[in-house]
Amino acid sequence: MFHFTRSGPGNVPKTFSGGATAILARFHVGDLGLIGSIYKKVAQAATLIGIFLLPIFFLPWSSGILELNKQLLLVIMAGIGLVAWFLDVVMSGKLTLRFGALDKGILGLAIATILATIFSVSKFRSFLGVNIGLSDALVSVLALTAVYFLAVNVFDDSGKKVRTALLASLGLAFLFGLLQMFGAYIFKWSFAVSRVFNTVGSLNTLGLAAAVSLPLFLKSGLYLPKVKFINLSKIGALLAVSILVILNWWVLWAVAVGGMLATIALESFMTAGNAKFRISKFMFPMVIILLAAFLFITGINIAFLKKNFPAEITPPHTLSMQIAMSALKENVFTGYGPENFSLAFDKFGAKSLANTTLSNAKFFDGASQVANAVVHGGAAFVLALALFIWSLAAVALRIRKFSAGGGHERIDEISGAMSVLVALLVAMFLYPFNITLQFLFYASVALVSLVLWEEHKKSWDIEEKPLLSLAASLGFIVGLVLALAGVYFMVASYISDIKYASALGQKDNKKAIQSVVSAINWNNKRGYYYQVASQITLNLLSDELAAKVDKSDTQRGSRIQNYIASAVDLAKRATVAEPKEAASWFNLGDIYQNLIGLVGGTDKAAEEAFLKAAELRPGDPTLYNRIGSMYLGKADLAMRLEASSSGENAKQFQSEMKNSLVKAEENFKKSIDISPNFGLAIYNLGVVYDREGKLVDAIRQLEKIAPYNVDKPNLMFELGLLYYRNGQKDNALQSLKQAVLLAPDYANAQWYLALIYEERNQIDLAVEQLDNILKNNPDNNTVLNKKSDLEKGVKKIPPQKVIDQKPL
């Protein structure tokens, strides 16, 4: 018989007796304190590792080098931390929570995201996001919410560990980003050997991270271990300012100034009447404000660096808000759903780009996070954001209470965390957030809660309350299921993306299709996987048709039919996976168009698919231009078949050619109606008029675009031929001379220019053009014979008789 004791409630000794089985059955009870602390330490470690790694984390083998890897890290660390915390609660029998005013705001944002995902126009995209946009996806928001919850509830040090991990990570990210800007590349992967690559996001995103983090560096003391005179916080602040100076964009300075003004205001408020108040504490914020004003006014740039940086293109703020309001009108409560800005842009914003060089551009984010929030979450998200901002009133009251209570020793911690939060709120109205910026927002809110509500905790002994114990057990089960489900979906999505990235990097179409099919097997909800698979299958079909025919190969016909069927099926499945995505329908139309001549009726199917894309993306002139180009190609094919046919077949091909030209003309005109300056459609309409024998109309179309394309020798050449055929011989001569001037080796233009000189009896000039052709084509018999005839004084038919001959 064994006997041992433990202290129960009220420190009253309790005695247990029994054999070895009893000891094993109650072993966890005797070690409650030890096991509980282990689980809590795991939760702390997972949280700190996630906080430290996220700003600097990336991996090279997925298509989303930064965002997808950060999302995976976020979900895994949040899942581990949450499960460990639940285990700590269950094993210790004690539930302890820290409550703060900002909790409601964070919870409101999570609930709004859940509702918006449920009613999303593309639910899977809202759940996991797309590689280009992941920060507002439900999985990301829930993981960030879990990180906030863990940071607030597993640490009892006023946020010192969280702050240290965050500052260390941001300092490394800024150092790496600066080295990249100056061309000092640490990693040698192709994507990393670039001045614009960094671990945060785009250069502007890196600058925004630098701007919002300045107060935290300024108000923290982070020193190198055992080398106390090296202040890492000041080094981090210097790195951040260096990035701001190099990029020198007004948005970054506006955010930085917002943070500095918040720092000055908070410190002034909290130190009012304090004898230790010193104006020197405001020196750094005032220097930043003055520096921002000076650089903004003077516009000074570090040209030798900035010339290597590409421009970042985003939709204007006015357009972004117009799209947001339109999405709100269509679905007032939940908007389009998280990460569906691109779908709203297609429907409401594409038309605004119709007369620009970006007419077929697609934007996955608006100009600001607020615009994204309205599109992604509708009124629900706006209300949640308003609730969060309203909760800042309670923060102000708490700060006032702190100040009145003599908490002056906490000034730096409070002003640093709050100023970062203020800077991020300013940034929300000026720039879209990626995962790193979203993470900084949640981390700053956690720091504010830890500093202001450090002692605001409540504990329950769940063993004494059956209902609470049941709730804790159910919470643990639900939390474990959610964590495991989240990790499973993320890992499956990540593996599928690795396969997809492998397919994109393959030069062998057979290996590429194997990789992308594997990606689809792991994740069959991504429309762009099917799009890529259909295009690769089309390439396989092209390879098969181009290959030398082996008469002994009895399976060739089956392979061709299989490729055709597979390409169409995969393209259709893309439209099923994402029916609201215009790109999926455009891809289906492209597949059908490429099958014209192989499968009957594909022209009609292609037109229907392109029109569906135009319905989802109204105002895009490229879609109608694509339909017109398809019918123009069909007309050219019918023209060639007519030339090699006779009788009824020739008449049938002639009729088909005319009908196709009518359809082409109709669609090119629609494209030009949408975008009167769309040069490609204007040119193509000119080609149609040429085919129809309407020379004057054809010339008029090319003359519209000629002034803007004076550097295009091909256009000058074709315009010259049209002029000649219409009897405008002087104009023809000038256009052909312009073509030769732009391209001195342009043999076709030189040939027809020589013919015109021949007609004008300017034999020396004609021979000169022929000599120029022979420099690069010394064995061309046609040119040699023509030169010989001219030198003998033999003139043949004038150019109008040969103007339609096949060029050299």
Side-chain angles (χ1 to χ4, degrees), residues 498-800:
I498 292 175
K499 302 291 185 182
Y500 169 69
S502 174
L504 295 180
Q506 289 285 353
K507 295 182 180 179
D508 186 327
N509 287 322
K510 291 184 178 179
K511 292 181 179 178
I513 196 65
Q514 290 174 359
S515 295
V516 76
V517 167
S518 180
I520 292 171
N521 290 336
W522 278 100
N523 183 352
N524 61 4
K525 301 295 184 181
R526 297 287 193 200
Y528 54 88
Y529 287 0
Y530 293 109
Q531 292 176 36
V532 170
S534 65
Q535 291 294 331
I536 296 173
T537 305
L538 197 64
N539 291 338
L540 288 168
L541 173 62
S542 178
D543 293 342
E544 188 68 51
L545 293 173
K548 185 177 180 180
V549 178
D550 183 357
K551 294 182 179 180
S552 63
D553 184 1
T554 59
Q555 299 301 313
R556 182 173 184 269
S558 298
R559 288 198 301 273
I560 290 174
Q561 292 302 317
N562 181 58
Y563 288 145
I564 292 173
S566 297
V568 172
D569 180 63
L570 288 166
K572 284 182 176 179
R573 290 172 70 181
T575 64
V576 174
E578 294 186 285
K580 299 290 186 179
E581 177 57 73
S584 294
W585 292 99
F586 180 86
N587 177 72
L588 178 59
D590 180 71
I591 295 296
Y592 277 131
Q593 182 178 353
N594 279 279
L595 296 178
I596 293 176
L598 294 174
V599 180
T602 51
D603 54 335
K604 297 293 183 184
E607 182 178 12
E608 290 175 2
F610 286 135
L611 288 175
K612 180 63 178 179
E615 177 187 329
L616 294 170
R617 187 180 164 87
D620 186 346
T622 62
L623 295 169
Y624 289 104
N625 180 69
R626 186 62 182 268
I627 298 173
S629 298
M630 178 186 69
Y631 280 111
L632 179 57
K634 186 179 178 183
D636 287 343
L637 176 61
M639 185 186 303
R640 291 193 297 271
L641 292 174
E642 180 197 7
S644 60
S645 303
S646 60
E648 291 300 320
N649 286 338
K651 290 181 180 179
Q652 180 181 347
F653 288 130
Q654 185 180 34
S655 175
E656 186 175 320
M657 178 191 69
K658 289 180 178 179
N659 291 335
S660 296
L661 288 174
V662 169
K663 294 285 290 183
E665 180 180 344
E666 174 188 328
N667 282 283
F668 288 138
K669 285 181 176 178
K670 286 182 180 180
S671 180
I672 295 170
D673 286 341
I674 295 172
S675 176
N677 299 324
F678 189 20
L680 186 58
I682 294 171
Y683 172 83
N684 286 335
L685 183 57
V687 175
V688 171
Y689 286 143
D690 180 26
R691 299 286 193 276
E692 293 175 329
K694 302 175 183 177
L695 287 178
V696 174
D697 291 331
I699 290 171
R700 189 178 294 121
Q701 292 303 119
L702 267 63
E703 284 179 337
K704 289 180 182 179
I705 58 176
Y708 310 101
N709 296 274
V710 292
D711 59 337
K712 300 292 191 300
N714 286 336
L715 180 62
M716 295 298 106
F717 171 68
E718 293 180 34
L719 186 57
L721 297 187
L722 288 174
Y723 278 139
Y724 197 94
R725 289 167 56 198
N726 197 48
Q728 298 172 256
K729 296 183 179 181
D730 290 340
N731 288 342
L733 178 64
Q734 294 304 317
S735 292
L736 290 172
K737 287 171 68 176
Q738 178 70 12
V740 172
L741 180 65
L742 292 170
D745 296 329
Y746 196 169
N748 288 325
Q750 290 166 338
W751 172 255
Y752 287 112
L753 189 56
L755 294 179
I756 292 177
Y757 282 136
E758 177 188 1
E759 184 186 26
R760 290 179 171 230
N761 206 31
Q762 295 174 299
I763 303 303
D764 291 344
L765 294 177
V767 171
E768 180 183 343
Q769 294 302 319
L770 297 175
D771 285 335
N772 289 335
I773 297 174
L774 291 171
K775 289 178 182 178
N776 296 312
N777 302 275
D779 299 324
N780 191 301
N781 290 327
T782 302
V783 179
L784 289 170
N785 292 335
K786 171 59 70 174
K787 179 183 177 183
S788 176
D789 288 343
L790 290 178
E791 289 175 340
K792 294 175 183 178
V794 179
K795 290 177 59 178
K796 294 187 178 179
I797 56 177
Q800 64 262 31

Side-chain angles (χ1 to χ4, degrees), residues 384-458:
L385 190 59
L387 173 64
F388 178 84
I389 294 175
W390 175 254
S391 67
L392 294 178
V395 173
L397 293 174
R398 187 73 177 174
I399 291 175
R400 182 178 180 182
K401 182 179 179 180
F402 244 92
S403 179
H408 299 298
E409 72 281 355
R410 307 283 293 279
I411 290 176
D412 285 348
E413 294 177 357
I414 294 172
S415 66
M418 267 305 298
S419 297
V420 171
L421 183 54
V422 169
L424 281 162
L425 290 173
V426 173
M428 281 186 176
F429 291 88
L430 299 176
Y431 196 78
F433 282 13
N434 66 353
I435 282 186
T436 301
L437 293 177
Q438 283 276 53
F439 163 75
L440 290 178
F441 172 76
Y442 280 82
S444 67
V445 177
L447 284 174
V448 171
S449 294
L450 281 168
V451 174
L452 294 179
W453 283 277
E454 181 186 10
E455 304 301 329
H456 203 76
K457 295 196 299 183
K458 189 173 182 180

Side-chain angles (χ1 to χ4, degrees), residues 287-300:
V287 167
I288 295 299
I289 294 171
L290 290 173
L291 181 62
F294 172 75
L295 291 176
F296 177 76
I297 293 171
T298 60
I300 295 175

